[in-house]
Every structure is written in structure tokens, then in C-alpha cells.
Amino acid sequence: GEDVEQSLFLSVREGDSSVINCTYTDSSSTYLYWYKQEPGAGLQLLTYIFSNMDMKQDQRLTVLLNKKDKHLSLRIADTQTGDSAIYFCAEGLTGANNLFFGTGTRLTVIP
Amino acid sequence: ETGVTQSPTHLIKTRGQQVTLRCSSQSGHNTVSWYQQALGQGPQFIFQYYREEENGRGNFPPRFSGLQFPNYSSELNVNALELDDSALYLCASSLGRGGSQETQYFGPGTRLLVL
């Protein structure tokens, strides 16, 4: 549960879709989370997916989970400048009380 | 707005000093977790408290200690501060006993600088 990897940077144009990727290594993951962190702020929960699901959609956000490849992605449709932030994926493991976070992906939205 | 507050927002200390950071959880949330977020990194789990008892601990030395109070407030204490303790410290509260399947709601953090 300690190897959660994300690419560090992503730039997209306003109005395009953003796709942020995450890979994890622990097969006992139960829930997988996406958090957003704006400059100088704490973490805001965006969405989560249970490990027996393949996809979850919540307004502009779509989470895809490929459990075989241990790959998680967050798609943001119609990306806005207010979406510029750091996005963290995190996994919760069976029997663990805490979350394991990736290093975060800094999303920059170009007007 | 998660309903989780932390104080102070910023703090500067010198090496060897002691520091106490405070967190106020959402009312009714029995579990509080503390995380350390170094610059450019994701949060790392320090420990968790459930109903005033420690309920799990990450890979942090004993000079990191905590307390949880019945009024949904909690403290993180760090003794003998080191330069590497400079980080954003986040607390998160959750409703139940604190399993990984429970949604954790984070506060805005306390940014600690050790000189």
C-alpha cells in the first residue's frame, strides 16, 4: 500500500478534458479516492470508487478503475481554470486505518 | 467546507523545540487521523485516534504523540523538533472506527517551519 504513483504535471486548455492517472500496487485495496488540493489549502474529497466497481460518474468527474492492471484514472470533462490544483489519488487497504497517497499531479488549466 | 478546523495556520519553531498543533473534528466524528505532508509530496500517515485511544500508527518516531478529547478536539505534539519536520500537518476526521473504507474529511492544515 505504499507505492501509489502519479505523473507529476499535466497541462490542458480550458474546455478540454483532463485525464489524471494513478497506479497502485496493493491488491487488497478496498476503496480508492481522489482528493483535490488548492494552493495553501487542505484536501478536498472529490470522489471515490469501491474496488469492485469499474466506473463511477459524478457530474464532470469520471473515475475508471482497472483492477487487473491496478490503474485508476480521473477524467474531468470541460476543464475550467478553477480546476487548477494538485490531485491526489489515495488507496485504503483492508485492515488498515489510514490512506496511502500518491505524490500528486499538478493540473494547470490554460485559458 | 469540511467542518474540520486546525490551529494555528502557520508556525515557526527552532530545532530542538516542542510544538503542539490542534484540530477540531466534525461533531459526531469519533476518529481523527493526522498526516504529515512534506513539500512536493503526498500526505504520510502519522497516527489515528478513536475515542481517545490510539488506533493505528505510521512510521513516525515516538517524539510524535497525540491526544484526543471527548469534545472532538485533538492535538499533535512533536518534541525535539528537527529540520525535516518542516511540513504541512493535516488532520482528518471520520465518523466511525476509522477503517480505510470510511471517508476522511480533512482540515486546512498547519504549516510548520523548523529553523
Side-chain angles (χ1 to χ4, degrees), chain A residues 49 54-56 62-66 71-75:
Chain A
I49 188 167
D54 297 325
M55 185 183 89
K56 181 178 180 182
T62 303
V63 180
L64 294 178
L65 176 60
N66 181 330
H71 182 266
L72 180 74
S73 67
L74 174 69
R75 178 177 180 270

Side-chain angles (χ1 to χ4, degrees), chain A residues 8 30-31 33 35 37 40-45 48 88 91-104, chain B residues 2 33 35 37 40-43 45 48 55-56 88 90 97-109 111:
Chain A
L8 292 179
T30 52
Y31 282 83
Y33 298 83
Y35 282 87
Q37 187 175 39
L43 300 177
Q44 174 195 351
L45 177 65
Y48 62 91
F88 291 94
E91 59 173 344
L93 306 182
T94 303
N97 293 337
N98 58 295
L99 299 176
F100 294 93
F101 285 85
T103 52
Chain B
T2 64
S33 304
Y35 291 81
Q37 186 181 13
Q41 301 294 317
F45 175 66
Q48 183 182 85
N55 189 39
L88 180 68
L90 297 161
R97 199 181 170 87
S100 61
Q101 76 282 2
E102 290 185 12
T103 300
Q104 298 189 18
Y105 297 91
F106 283 80
R111 189 163 296 282

Side-chain angles (χ1 to χ4, degrees), chain A residues 19-39:
Chain A
V19 179
I20 303 171
N21 295 301
C22 171
T23 57
Y24 60 97
T25 57
D26 202 308
S27 58
S28 68
S29 294
T30 52
Y31 282 83
L32 293 133
Y33 298 83
W34 283 103
Y35 282 87
K36 175 183 180 183
Q37 187 175 39
E38 296 184 77

